Amino acid sequence: GYTLDGEHDDAALKDVDQRSLYASPFPYTVDYGPRADGIGVVTKFFEQETGKKVSSVRLRRHMQSKDFRGSVFVEFESEEDMQAVAKMSLVFEGAELDMCSKLEYVQRKRDERAAKIAAAEAQAAAGHFREDAAVTPEKRKARDGDDADGARDAKVARTEKPKQPVSFTPGLILAFEFEGREEAPEGMQRDAIRSYFEERAKADGDAGATANGGGEQDAAEGGAEEGDGGEKEEGNEAAKEENGDDATASKKNSKGGVRFVDWKPGANSGFVRFSEPTMTSAAAASSGSLEGAMLTVRV
């Protein structure tokens, strides 16, 4: 944004808004990582694709986390340049951009908020009350009487359930980087990266299934030897059945263990998400090379 001083006033800021463009969606990887240059990436993209000079770029962020929210405001040298770009069809990394003037976008959001408030008030007037409707204490008293607030608070205290914390499985994300390189090897594909990490997760899963299967079979055979011949046969059959189920389950979990690869083509780093934390640990335990380039990984 702009910092106001003695030479800037409301008219100057309004002029900036008139020359600014709203554009979305951009992937969050545009501005992720210590070496990320989201402003530079967006500036270069618009200047190369439109032939217009970009004066500044503002990456829009979430208020609490400050993470990039996938949309930008781009200021051009003139309102005519901005309007010309708004009429173009631009694609960034496979996604078609939704573009309009900043003033149009701001007005659109105001209209959407006004429509939500009007819908909530219409429902309240019709007798369809919602806990999240925009009903003020004054309106609630007019609707339910002077004692409505106390009665409602008592009802909420009796019926309101505590919010459950959001849960997630830790240890599923693995970061990787092509060591000593500013970009990925030429011709590198996302499928090649996926196959590389799936092989490592699968190899660990097969080894674990073999070790567990052998130990359980020995225990089953040892226990069967203490009984008669019939009991030994039953023990062996049970061990085979159990070992087979464990091995099948382990292979099933390890096959296709990569849920997705978050990597921009040509970039020297990215992220891999696995379906199980054990697969993440297996892939992180060993280093290797992919198409002649060494890979370093970290959880």
Side-chain angles (χ1 to χ4, degrees), residues 104-141:
E104 179 182 344
Y105 171 77
V106 172
Q107 186 60 47
R108 183 202 309 172
K109 301 304 291 185
R110 287 175 179 170
D111 293 342
E112 290 176 358
R113 286 193 291 269
K116 289 182 179 179
I117 294 174
E121 292 178 343
Q123 284 189 338
H128 303 295
F129 305 121
R130 288 170 35 198
E131 291 299 329
D132 60 341
V135 181
T136 64
E138 292 76 13
K139 291 182 179 179
R140 189 178 297 113
K141 287 183 180 180

PDB file of all heavy atoms in Angstrom, residues 104-141:
ATOM      1  N   GLU A 104     -14.343  -1.741  -9.030  1.00  0.00           N
ATOM      2  CA  GLU A 104     -15.451  -2.661  -9.312  1.00  0.00           C
ATOM      3  C   GLU A 104     -15.455  -3.814  -8.324  1.00  0.00           C
ATOM      4  O   GLU A 104     -16.513  -4.242  -7.846  1.00  0.00           O
ATOM      5  CB  GLU A 104     -15.330  -3.188 -10.745  1.00  0.00           C
ATOM      6  CG  GLU A 104     -16.424  -4.171 -11.130  1.00  0.00           C
ATOM      7  CD  GLU A 104     -16.245  -4.711 -12.537  1.00  0.00           C
ATOM      8  OE1 GLU A 104     -15.466  -4.114 -13.313  1.00  0.00           O
ATOM      9  OE2 GLU A 104     -16.886  -5.731 -12.864  1.00  0.00           O
ATOM     10  N   TYR A 105     -14.274  -4.332  -7.999  1.00  0.00           N
ATOM     11  CA  TYR A 105     -14.183  -5.443  -7.044  1.00  0.00           C
ATOM     12  C   TYR A 105     -14.661  -5.012  -5.650  1.00  0.00           C
ATOM     13  O   TYR A 105     -15.436  -5.722  -4.998  1.00  0.00           O
ATOM     14  CB  TYR A 105     -12.748  -5.938  -6.965  1.00  0.00           C
ATOM     15  CG  TYR A 105     -12.523  -6.936  -5.855  1.00  0.00           C
ATOM     16  CD1 TYR A 105     -12.932  -8.258  -5.981  1.00  0.00           C
ATOM     17  CD2 TYR A 105     -11.905  -6.542  -4.672  1.00  0.00           C
ATOM     18  CE1 TYR A 105     -12.743  -9.169  -4.958  1.00  0.00           C
ATOM     19  CE2 TYR A 105     -11.711  -7.448  -3.637  1.00  0.00           C
ATOM     20  CZ  TYR A 105     -12.122  -8.757  -3.793  1.00  0.00           C
ATOM     21  OH  TYR A 105     -11.929  -9.659  -2.763  1.00  0.00           O
ATOM     22  N   VAL A 106     -14.221  -3.833  -5.203  1.00  0.00           N
ATOM     23  CA  VAL A 106     -14.623  -3.339  -3.883  1.00  0.00           C
ATOM     24  C   VAL A 106     -16.136  -3.159  -3.819  1.00  0.00           C
ATOM     25  O   VAL A 106     -16.784  -3.526  -2.832  1.00  0.00           O
ATOM     26  CB  VAL A 106     -13.902  -2.017  -3.568  1.00  0.00           C
ATOM     27  CG1 VAL A 106     -14.461  -1.389  -2.299  1.00  0.00           C
ATOM     28  CG2 VAL A 106     -12.399  -2.265  -3.407  1.00  0.00           C
ATOM     29  N   GLN A 107     -16.724  -2.600  -4.891  1.00  0.00           N
ATOM     30  CA  GLN A 107     -18.171  -2.411  -4.908  1.00  0.00           C
ATOM     31  C   GLN A 107     -18.903  -3.751  -4.923  1.00  0.00           C
ATOM     32  O   GLN A 107     -19.953  -3.911  -4.280  1.00  0.00           O
ATOM     33  CB  GLN A 107     -18.567  -1.583  -6.139  1.00  0.00           C
ATOM     34  CG  GLN A 107     -20.037  -1.203  -6.165  1.00  0.00           C
ATOM     35  CD  GLN A 107     -20.446  -0.376  -4.960  1.00  0.00           C
ATOM     36  OE1 GLN A 107     -19.771   0.582  -4.601  1.00  0.00           O
ATOM     37  NE2 GLN A 107     -21.556  -0.743  -4.331  1.00  0.00           N
ATOM     38  N   ARG A 108     -18.352  -4.736  -5.636  1.00  0.00           N
ATOM     39  CA  ARG A 108     -18.954  -6.072  -5.675  1.00  0.00           C
ATOM     40  C   ARG A 108     -19.007  -6.685  -4.282  1.00  0.00           C
ATOM     41  O   ARG A 108     -20.030  -7.270  -3.885  1.00  0.00           O
ATOM     42  CB  ARG A 108     -18.156  -6.975  -6.610  1.00  0.00           C
ATOM     43  CG  ARG A 108     -18.754  -8.372  -6.778  1.00  0.00           C
ATOM     44  CD  ARG A 108     -17.723  -9.379  -7.254  1.00  0.00           C
ATOM     45  NE  ARG A 108     -17.002  -8.917  -8.436  1.00  0.00           N
ATOM     46  CZ  ARG A 108     -15.956  -9.565  -8.937  1.00  0.00           C
ATOM     47  NH1 ARG A 108     -15.503 -10.673  -8.332  1.00  0.00           N
ATOM     48  NH2 ARG A 108     -15.346  -9.123 -10.012  1.00  0.00           N
ATOM     49  N   LYS A 109     -17.922  -6.561  -3.515  1.00  0.00           N
ATOM     50  CA  LYS A 109     -17.899  -7.124  -2.165  1.00  0.00           C
ATOM     51  C   LYS A 109     -18.878  -6.394  -1.245  1.00  0.00           C
ATOM     52  O   LYS A 109     -19.524  -7.017  -0.393  1.00  0.00           O
ATOM     53  CB  LYS A 109     -16.485  -7.055  -1.584  1.00  0.00           C
ATOM     54  CG  LYS A 109     -15.423  -7.790  -2.407  1.00  0.00           C
ATOM     55  CD  LYS A 109     -15.792  -9.249  -2.622  1.00  0.00           C
ATOM     56  CE  LYS A 109     -15.730 -10.072  -1.371  1.00  0.00           C
ATOM     57  NZ  LYS A 109     -15.975 -11.515  -1.632  1.00  0.00           N
ATOM     58  N   ARG A 110     -19.004  -5.071  -1.410  1.00  0.00           N
ATOM     59  CA  ARG A 110     -19.969  -4.323  -0.612  1.00  0.00           C
ATOM     60  C   ARG A 110     -21.387  -4.794  -0.914  1.00  0.00           C
ATOM     61  O   ARG A 110     -22.213  -4.963  -0.002  1.00  0.00           O
ATOM     62  CB  ARG A 110     -19.835  -2.831  -0.910  1.00  0.00           C
ATOM     63  CG  ARG A 110     -18.580  -2.185  -0.322  1.00  0.00           C
ATOM     64  CD  ARG A 110     -18.466  -0.746  -0.769  1.00  0.00           C
ATOM     65  NE  ARG A 110     -17.280  -0.114  -0.194  1.00  0.00           N
ATOM     66  CZ  ARG A 110     -16.833   1.087  -0.567  1.00  0.00           C
ATOM     67  NH1 ARG A 110     -17.480   1.766  -1.517  1.00  0.00           N
ATOM     68  NH2 ARG A 110     -15.751   1.591  -0.002  1.00  0.00           N
ATOM     69  N   ASP A 111     -21.688  -5.006  -2.194  1.00  0.00           N
ATOM     70  CA  ASP A 111     -23.026  -5.467  -2.575  1.00  0.00           C
ATOM     71  C   ASP A 111     -23.304  -6.858  -2.003  1.00  0.00           C
ATOM     72  O   ASP A 111     -24.434  -7.145  -1.577  1.00  0.00           O
ATOM     73  CB  ASP A 111     -23.158  -5.496  -4.100  1.00  0.00           C
ATOM     74  CG  ASP A 111     -23.119  -4.092  -4.709  1.00  0.00           C
ATOM     75  OD1 ASP A 111     -23.329  -3.116  -3.962  1.00  0.00           O
ATOM     76  OD2 ASP A 111     -22.868  -3.988  -5.929  1.00  0.00           O
ATOM     77  N   GLU A 112     -22.286  -7.729  -2.013  1.00  0.00           N
ATOM     78  CA  GLU A 112     -22.474  -9.074  -1.471  1.00  0.00           C
ATOM     79  C   GLU A 112     -22.770  -9.022   0.025  1.00  0.00           C
ATOM     80  O   GLU A 112     -23.647  -9.744   0.521  1.00  0.00           O
ATOM     81  CB  GLU A 112     -21.221  -9.922  -1.734  1.00  0.00           C
ATOM     82  CG  GLU A 112     -21.028 -10.281  -3.193  1.00  0.00           C
ATOM     83  CD  GLU A 112     -19.733 -11.038  -3.436  1.00  0.00           C
ATOM     84  OE1 GLU A 112     -18.973 -11.239  -2.445  1.00  0.00           O
ATOM     85  OE2 GLU A 112     -19.463 -11.412  -4.579  1.00  0.00           O
ATOM     86  N   ARG A 113     -22.040  -8.184   0.771  1.00  0.00           N
ATOM     87  CA  ARG A 113     -22.296  -8.058   2.211  1.00  0.00           C
ATOM     88  C   ARG A 113     -23.687  -7.483   2.481  1.00  0.00           C
ATOM     89  O   ARG A 113     -24.398  -7.930   3.388  1.00  0.00           O
ATOM     90  CB  ARG A 113     -21.216  -7.193   2.861  1.00  0.00           C
ATOM     91  CG  ARG A 113     -19.872  -7.892   3.010  1.00  0.00           C
ATOM     92  CD  ARG A 113     -18.962  -7.104   3.926  1.00  0.00           C
ATOM     93  NE  ARG A 113     -18.547  -5.858   3.320  1.00  0.00           N
ATOM     94  CZ  ARG A 113     -17.448  -5.705   2.591  1.00  0.00           C
ATOM     95  NH1 ARG A 113     -16.663  -6.757   2.377  1.00  0.00           N
ATOM     96  NH2 ARG A 113     -17.120  -4.536   2.094  1.00  0.00           N
ATOM     97  N   ALA A 114     -24.074  -6.484   1.683  1.00  0.00           N
ATOM     98  CA  ALA A 114     -25.397  -5.882   1.864  1.00  0.00           C
ATOM     99  C   ALA A 114     -26.498  -6.905   1.575  1.00  0.00           C
ATOM    100  O   ALA A 114     -27.521  -6.943   2.271  1.00  0.00           O
ATOM    101  CB  ALA A 114     -25.547  -4.668   0.952  1.00  0.00           C
ATOM    102  N   ALA A 115     -26.281  -7.758   0.566  1.00  0.00           N
ATOM    103  CA  ALA A 115     -27.272  -8.780   0.221  1.00  0.00           C
ATOM    104  C   ALA A 115     -27.415  -9.799   1.347  1.00  0.00           C
ATOM    105  O   ALA A 115     -28.526 -10.254   1.659  1.00  0.00           O
ATOM    106  CB  ALA A 115     -26.877  -9.464  -1.082  1.00  0.00           C
ATOM    107  N   LYS A 116     -26.295 -10.181   1.988  1.00  0.00           N
ATOM    108  CA  LYS A 116     -26.353 -11.138   3.104  1.00  0.00           C
ATOM    109  C   LYS A 116     -27.121 -10.555   4.287  1.00  0.00           C
ATOM    110  O   LYS A 116     -27.925 -11.236   4.918  1.00  0.00           O
ATOM    111  CB  LYS A 116     -24.931 -11.514   3.525  1.00  0.00           C
ATOM    112  CG  LYS A 116     -24.202 -12.387   2.518  1.00  0.00           C
ATOM    113  CD  LYS A 116     -22.812 -12.750   3.028  1.00  0.00           C
ATOM    114  CE  LYS A 116     -22.086 -13.632   2.030  1.00  0.00           C
ATOM    115  NZ  LYS A 116     -20.713 -13.971   2.502  1.00  0.00           N
ATOM    116  N   ILE A 117     -26.861  -9.271   4.593  1.00  0.00           N
ATOM    117  CA  ILE A 117     -27.557  -8.632   5.706  1.00  0.00           C
ATOM    118  C   ILE A 117     -29.052  -8.531   5.405  1.00  0.00           C
ATOM    119  O   ILE A 117     -29.904  -8.798   6.266  1.00  0.00           O
ATOM    120  CB  ILE A 117     -26.963  -7.240   5.975  1.00  0.00           C
ATOM    121  CG1 ILE A 117     -25.516  -7.380   6.479  1.00  0.00           C
ATOM    122  CG2 ILE A 117     -27.811  -6.466   6.972  1.00  0.00           C
ATOM    123  CD1 ILE A 117     -24.792  -6.057   6.646  1.00  0.00           C
ATOM    124  N   ALA A 118     -29.392  -8.156   4.165  1.00  0.00           N
ATOM    125  CA  ALA A 118     -30.794  -8.042   3.788  1.00  0.00           C
ATOM    126  C   ALA A 118     -31.493  -9.392   3.872  1.00  0.00           C
ATOM    127  O   ALA A 118     -32.647  -9.482   4.319  1.00  0.00           O
ATOM    128  CB  ALA A 118     -30.914  -7.470   2.373  1.00  0.00           C
ATOM    129  N   ALA A 119     -30.809 -10.471   3.447  1.00  0.00           N
ATOM    130  CA  ALA A 119     -31.403 -11.804   3.510  1.00  0.00           C
ATOM    131  C   ALA A 119     -31.634 -12.236   4.951  1.00  0.00           C
ATOM    132  O   ALA A 119     -32.669 -12.824   5.285  1.00  0.00           O
ATOM    133  CB  ALA A 119     -30.502 -12.800   2.795  1.00  0.00           C
ATOM    134  N   ALA A 120     -30.690 -11.917   5.843  1.00  0.00           N
ATOM    135  CA  ALA A 120     -30.835 -12.272   7.256  1.00  0.00           C
ATOM    136  C   ALA A 120     -31.998 -11.518   7.886  1.00  0.00           C
ATOM    137  O   ALA A 120     -32.787 -12.077   8.657  1.00  0.00           O
ATOM    138  CB  ALA A 120     -29.538 -11.980   8.002  1.00  0.00           C
ATOM    139  N   GLU A 121     -32.126 -10.233   7.566  1.00  0.00           N
ATOM    140  CA  GLU A 121     -33.218  -9.446   8.120  1.00  0.00           C
ATOM    141  C   GLU A 121     -34.566  -9.899   7.566  1.00  0.00           C
ATOM    142  O   GLU A 121     -35.578  -9.885   8.276  1.00  0.00           O
ATOM    143  CB  GLU A 121     -32.989  -7.967   7.823  1.00  0.00           C
ATOM    144  CG  GLU A 121     -31.794  -7.380   8.576  1.00  0.00           C
ATOM    145  CD  GLU A 121     -31.554  -5.926   8.241  1.00  0.00           C
ATOM    146  OE1 GLU A 121     -32.091  -5.465   7.206  1.00  0.00           O
ATOM    147  OE2 GLU A 121     -30.821  -5.253   8.997  1.00  0.00           O
ATOM    148  N   ALA A 122     -34.600 -10.327   6.290  1.00  0.00           N
ATOM    149  CA  ALA A 122     -35.845 -10.821   5.702  1.00  0.00           C
ATOM    150  C   ALA A 122     -36.280 -12.114   6.374  1.00  0.00           C
ATOM    151  O   ALA A 122     -37.469 -12.323   6.624  1.00  0.00           O
ATOM    152  CB  ALA A 122     -35.663 -11.030   4.201  1.00  0.00           C
ATOM    153  N   GLN A 123     -35.314 -12.979   6.683  1.00  0.00           N
ATOM    154  CA  GLN A 123     -35.644 -14.220   7.382  1.00  0.00           C
ATOM    155  C   GLN A 123     -36.162 -13.931   8.785  1.00  0.00           C
ATOM    156  O   GLN A 123     -37.097 -14.577   9.271  1.00  0.00           O
ATOM    157  CB  GLN A 123     -34.416 -15.119   7.462  1.00  0.00           C
ATOM    158  CG  GLN A 123     -34.087 -15.815   6.153  1.00  0.00           C
ATOM    159  CD  GLN A 123     -33.008 -16.854   6.321  1.00  0.00           C
ATOM    160  OE1 GLN A 123     -32.228 -16.807   7.272  1.00  0.00           O
ATOM    161  NE2 GLN A 123     -32.957 -17.787   5.399  1.00  0.00           N
ATOM    162  N   ALA A 124     -35.546 -12.964   9.447  1.00  0.00           N
ATOM    163  CA  ALA A 124     -36.000 -12.606  10.788  1.00  0.00           C
ATOM    164  C   ALA A 124     -37.415 -12.040  10.758  1.00  0.00           C
ATOM    165  O   ALA A 124     -38.253 -12.350  11.607  1.00  0.00           O
ATOM    166  CB  ALA A 124     -35.036 -11.603  11.412  1.00  0.00           C
ATOM    167  N   ALA A 125     -37.708 -11.206   9.758  1.00  0.00           N
ATOM    168  CA  ALA A 125     -39.033 -10.616   9.647  1.00  0.00           C
ATOM    169  C   ALA A 125     -40.091 -11.667   9.359  1.00  0.00           C
ATOM    170  O   ALA A 125     -41.251 -11.539   9.760  1.00  0.00           O
ATOM    171  CB  ALA A 125     -39.044  -9.542   8.553  1.00  0.00           C
ATOM    172  N   ALA A 126     -39.678 -12.737   8.647  1.00  0.00           N
ATOM    173  CA  ALA A 126     -40.620 -13.810   8.308  1.00  0.00           C
ATOM    174  C   ALA A 126     -40.761 -14.830   9.430  1.00  0.00           C
ATOM    175  O   ALA A 126     -41.522 -15.789   9.310  1.00  0.00           O
ATOM    176  CB  ALA A 126     -40.169 -14.503   7.023  1.00  0.00           C
ATOM    177  N   GLY A 127     -39.996 -14.660  10.508  1.00  0.00           N
ATOM    178  CA  GLY A 127     -40.088 -15.583  11.624  1.00  0.00           C
ATOM    179  C   GLY A 127     -39.129 -16.742  11.550  1.00  0.00           C
ATOM    180  O   GLY A 127     -39.197 -17.665  12.364  1.00  0.00           O
ATOM    181  N   HIS A 128     -38.217 -16.732  10.577  1.00  0.00           N
ATOM    182  CA  HIS A 128     -37.207 -17.793  10.463  1.00  0.00           C
ATOM    183  C   HIS A 128     -35.915 -17.271  11.087  1.00  0.00           C
ATOM    184  O   HIS A 128     -35.103 -16.624  10.432  1.00  0.00           O
ATOM    185  CB  HIS A 128     -36.974 -18.167   8.998  1.00  0.00           C
ATOM    186  CG  HIS A 128     -38.224 -18.599   8.298  1.00  0.00           C
ATOM    187  ND1 HIS A 128     -38.909 -19.730   8.640  1.00  0.00           N
ATOM    188  CD2 HIS A 128     -38.918 -18.026   7.279  1.00  0.00           C
ATOM    189  CE1 HIS A 128     -39.968 -19.861   7.861  1.00  0.00           C
ATOM    190  NE2 HIS A 128     -40.002 -18.831   7.027  1.00  0.00           N
ATOM    191  N   PHE A 129     -35.740 -17.532  12.381  1.00  0.00           N
ATOM    192  CA  PHE A 129     -34.616 -16.953  13.100  1.00  0.00           C
ATOM    193  C   PHE A 129     -33.403 -17.846  13.016  1.00  0.00           C
ATOM    194  O   PHE A 129     -33.499 -19.067  13.116  1.00  0.00           O
ATOM    195  CB  PHE A 129     -34.991 -16.727  14.569  1.00  0.00           C
ATOM    196  CG  PHE A 129     -36.229 -15.896  14.720  1.00  0.00           C
ATOM    197  CD1 PHE A 129     -37.336 -16.403  15.379  1.00  0.00           C
ATOM    198  CD2 PHE A 129     -36.288 -14.626  14.182  1.00  0.00           C
ATOM    199  CE1 PHE A 129     -38.483 -15.639  15.506  1.00  0.00           C
ATOM    200  CE2 PHE A 129     -37.440 -13.855  14.308  1.00  0.00           C
ATOM    201  CZ  PHE A 129     -38.537 -14.361  14.959  1.00  0.00           C
ATOM    202  N   ARG A 130     -32.257 -17.253  12.871  1.00  0.00           N
ATOM    203  CA  ARG A 130     -30.983 -17.969  12.866  1.00  0.00           C
ATOM    204  C   ARG A 130     -30.071 -17.341  13.897  1.00  0.00           C
ATOM    205  O   ARG A 130     -30.084 -16.127  14.091  1.00  0.00           O
ATOM    206  CB  ARG A 130     -30.307 -17.882  11.490  1.00  0.00           C
ATOM    207  CG  ARG A 130     -30.969 -18.694  10.415  1.00  0.00           C
ATOM    208  CD  ARG A 130     -30.379 -18.349   9.049  1.00  0.00           C
ATOM    209  NE  ARG A 130     -28.971 -18.042   9.134  1.00  0.00           N
ATOM    210  CZ  ARG A 130     -28.307 -17.387   8.190  1.00  0.00           C
ATOM    211  NH1 ARG A 130     -28.920 -16.936   7.125  1.00  0.00           N
ATOM    212  NH2 ARG A 130     -27.020 -17.150   8.331  1.00  0.00           N
ATOM    213  N   GLU A 131     -29.265 -18.190  14.542  1.00  0.00           N
ATOM    214  CA  GLU A 131     -28.353 -17.684  15.571  1.00  0.00           C
ATOM    215  C   GLU A 131     -27.309 -16.735  14.983  1.00  0.00           C
ATOM    216  O   GLU A 131     -26.802 -15.854  15.645  1.00  0.00           O
ATOM    217  CB  GLU A 131     -27.655 -18.844  16.278  1.00  0.00           C
ATOM    218  CG  GLU A 131     -28.594 -19.675  17.133  1.00  0.00           C
ATOM    219  CD  GLU A 131     -29.244 -18.864  18.241  1.00  0.00           C
ATOM    220  OE1 GLU A 131     -28.607 -17.920  18.716  1.00  0.00           O
ATOM    221  OE2 GLU A 131     -30.378 -19.183  18.619  1.00  0.00           O
ATOM    222  N   ASP A 132     -26.974 -16.943  13.690  1.00  0.00           N
ATOM    223  CA  ASP A 132     -25.930 -16.102  13.089  1.00  0.00           C
ATOM    224  C   ASP A 132     -26.522 -14.945  12.287  1.00  0.00           C
ATOM    225  O   ASP A 132     -25.813 -14.259  11.569  1.00  0.00           O
ATOM    226  CB  ASP A 132     -25.024 -16.946  12.188  1.00  0.00           C
ATOM    227  CG  ASP A 132     -25.798 -17.612  11.049  1.00  0.00           C
ATOM    228  OD1 ASP A 132     -27.035 -17.713  11.160  1.00  0.00           O
ATOM    229  OD2 ASP A 132     -25.157 -18.025  10.064  1.00  0.00           O
ATOM    230  N   ALA A 133     -27.850 -14.753  12.347  1.00  0.00           N
ATOM    231  CA  ALA A 133     -28.457 -13.663  11.596  1.00  0.00           C
ATOM    232  C   ALA A 133     -28.056 -12.330  12.203  1.00  0.00           C
ATOM    233  O   ALA A 133     -27.797 -12.210  13.402  1.00  0.00           O
ATOM    234  CB  ALA A 133     -29.984 -13.810  11.590  1.00  0.00           C
ATOM    235  N   ALA A 134     -28.054 -11.289  11.349  1.00  0.00           N
ATOM    236  CA  ALA A 134     -27.642  -9.959  11.799  1.00  0.00           C
ATOM    237  C   ALA A 134     -28.801  -9.285  12.523  1.00  0.00           C
ATOM    238  O   ALA A 134     -29.462  -8.383  12.006  1.00  0.00           O
ATOM    239  CB  ALA A 134     -27.165  -9.127  10.617  1.00  0.00           C
ATOM    240  N   VAL A 135     -29.088  -9.719  13.759  1.00  0.00           N
ATOM    241  CA  VAL A 135     -30.172  -9.159  14.572  1.00  0.00           C
ATOM    242  C   VAL A 135     -29.552  -8.464  15.777  1.00  0.00           C
ATOM    243  O   VAL A 135     -28.871  -9.088  16.588  1.00  0.00           O
ATOM    244  CB  VAL A 135     -31.147 -10.265  15.033  1.00  0.00           C
ATOM    245  CG1 VAL A 135     -32.273  -9.641  15.859  1.00  0.00           C
ATOM    246  CG2 VAL A 135     -31.715 -10.999  13.834  1.00  0.00           C
ATOM    247  N   THR A 136     -29.800  -7.186  15.903  1.00  0.00           N
ATOM    248  CA  THR A 136     -29.239  -6.407  17.005  1.00  0.00           C
ATOM    249  C   THR A 136     -30.042  -6.654  18.272  1.00  0.00           C
ATOM    250  O   THR A 136     -31.205  -7.098  18.225  1.00  0.00           O
ATOM    251  CB  THR A 136     -29.250  -4.910  16.658  1.00  0.00           C
ATOM    252  OG1 THR A 136     -30.616  -4.491  16.512  1.00  0.00           O
ATOM    253  CG2 THR A 136     -28.506  -4.653  15.352  1.00  0.00           C
ATOM    254  N   PRO A 137     -29.483  -6.344  19.462  1.00  0.00           N
ATOM    255  CA  PRO A 137     -30.249  -6.487  20.709  1.00  0.00           C
ATOM    256  C   PRO A 137     -31.545  -5.680  20.700  1.00  0.00           C
ATOM    257  O   PRO A 137     -32.560  -6.132  21.242  1.00  0.00           O
ATOM    258  CB  PRO A 137     -29.275  -5.967  21.774  1.00  0.00           C
ATOM    259  CG  PRO A 137     -27.909  -6.209  21.177  1.00  0.00           C
ATOM    260  CD  PRO A 137     -28.088  -5.979  19.714  1.00  0.00           C
ATOM    261  N   GLU A 138     -31.521  -4.503  20.087  1.00  0.00           N
ATOM    262  CA  GLU A 138     -32.725  -3.686  20.034  1.00  0.00           C
ATOM    263  C   GLU A 138     -33.812  -4.362  19.215  1.00  0.00           C
ATOM    264  O   GLU A 138     -34.993  -4.402  19.594  1.00  0.00           O
ATOM    265  CB  GLU A 138     -32.402  -2.297  19.445  1.00  0.00           C
ATOM    266  CG  GLU A 138     -31.535  -1.421  20.330  1.00  0.00           C
ATOM    267  CD  GLU A 138     -30.063  -1.840  20.321  1.00  0.00           C
ATOM    268  OE1 GLU A 138     -29.700  -2.647  19.440  1.00  0.00           O
ATOM    269  OE2 GLU A 138     -29.312  -1.368  21.197  1.00  0.00           O
ATOM    270  N   LYS A 139     -33.419  -4.957  18.071  1.00  0.00           N
ATOM    271  CA  LYS A 139     -34.398  -5.655  17.239  1.00  0.00           C
ATOM    272  C   LYS A 139     -34.921  -6.907  17.945  1.00  0.00           C
ATOM    273  O   LYS A 139     -36.094  -7.262  17.814  1.00  0.00           O
ATOM    274  CB  LYS A 139     -33.772  -6.035  15.895  1.00  0.00           C
ATOM    275  CG  LYS A 139     -33.461  -4.851  14.996  1.00  0.00           C
ATOM    276  CD  LYS A 139     -32.882  -5.317  13.669  1.00  0.00           C
ATOM    277  CE  LYS A 139     -32.594  -4.146  12.749  1.00  0.00           C
ATOM    278  NZ  LYS A 139     -32.000  -4.605  11.466  1.00  0.00           N
ATOM    279  N   ARG A 140     -34.024  -7.570  18.682  1.00  0.00           N
ATOM    280  CA  ARG A 140     -34.448  -8.781  19.381  1.00  0.00           C
ATOM    281  C   ARG A 140     -35.468  -8.440  20.461  1.00  0.00           C
ATOM    282  O   ARG A 140     -36.458  -9.170  20.676  1.00  0.00           O
ATOM    283  CB  ARG A 140     -33.241  -9.478  19.991  1.00  0.00           C
ATOM    284  CG  ARG A 140     -33.561 -10.858  20.563  1.00  0.00           C
ATOM    285  CD  ARG A 140     -32.327 -11.532  21.120  1.00  0.00           C
ATOM    286  NE  ARG A 140     -31.343 -11.768  20.075  1.00  0.00           N
ATOM    287  CZ  ARG A 140     -30.161 -11.167  20.004  1.00  0.00           C
ATOM    288  NH1 ARG A 140     -29.821 -10.276  20.931  1.00  0.00           N
ATOM    289  NH2 ARG A 140     -29.330 -11.435  19.034  1.00  0.00           N
ATOM    290  N   LYS A 141     -35.276  -7.328  21.189  1.00  0.00           N
ATOM    291  CA  LYS A 141     -36.236  -6.917  22.215  1.00  0.00           C
ATOM    292  C   LYS A 141     -37.578  -6.541  21.600  1.00  0.00           C
ATOM    293  O   LYS A 141     -38.649  -6.855  22.127  1.00  0.00           O
ATOM    294  CB  LYS A 141     -35.680  -5.730  23.006  1.00  0.00           C
ATOM    295  CG  LYS A 141     -34.560  -6.100  23.971  1.00  0.00           C
ATOM    296  CD  LYS A 141     -34.107  -4.893  24.771  1.00  0.00           C
ATOM    297  CE  LYS A 141     -32.992  -5.275  25.745  1.00  0.00           C
ATOM    298  NZ  LYS A 141     -32.546  -4.111  26.535  1.00  0.00           N
TER     299      LYS A 141
END
